[in-house]
Amino acid sequence: MLGEQARSRPKAKPVRERRVARASKCAGCGRDLTTAAERKVGRCADCPPTYDVAQFEALKAWRLAVARATSVPAFVVFTDATLTAIAEKRPASEAQLRQIAGVGTTKLERYGAGVLAVMAGGDPEQEAEKCCAAMGSADD
Ligand SMILES: [Zn+2]
């Protein structure tokens, strides 16, 4: 029965995070995650990020360059949550990259090589250019 609860529920912003696969346990300490923000990053508020900040920044720079070059908002390339997950899991192959929530077949094809190159220490701007050049020639 939804009845009362459904009616009395305040008109909050629509929940738009359903598409994002959410972790229910903290990746750091394993305790249950209670807030949406915690689930999104897969970590409780007490556990520090486990990613390399410089690498995460490189991924963000790459994402921005790709977004600009292809005229899409940055989150369309990858959301912050996905980018964080990539930085934390450090995929070394497309197969590993594909395991990450938010990385589907299309994104893997478009961005996989670029992400892996940046993870391997490639220059974000250059990798974004290569990525976009490849997309331009691809028959979408
Ligand atoms: Zn934790």
Side-chain angles (χ1 to χ4, degrees), residues 26 28-31 43-44 46-47:
C26 173
C29 64
R31 84 164 169 80
R43 200 174 49 237
C44 74
D46 296 331
C47 286

Side-chain angles (χ1 to χ4, degrees), residues 109-131:
E109 278 174 13
R110 284 189 185 166
Y111 310 127
V115 167
L116 292 173
V118 172
M119 292 299 289
D123 180 77
E125 299 277 341
Q126 277 178 19
E127 294 306 328
E129 264 175 46
K130 275 192 230 165
C131 183

Side-chain angles (χ1 to χ4, degrees), residues 16 19-20 40 59-60 62-83 86 101-112 115 131-132 135 140:
R16 297 172 58 196
R19 288 174 302 131
V20 180
K40 206 166 170 185
L59 284 171
K60 282 209 316 204
W62 168 85
R63 179 180 66 170
L64 183 66
V66 171
R68 277 194 188 137
T70 55
S71 303
V72 297
F75 71 83
V76 169
V77 180
F78 284 121
T79 62
D80 281 352
T82 302
L83 220 56
I86 292 170
V103 184
T105 306
T106 307
K107 292 200 175 182
L108 194 66
E109 278 174 13
R110 284 189 185 166
Y111 310 127
V115 167
C131 183
C132 297
M135 278 168 65
D140 216 15

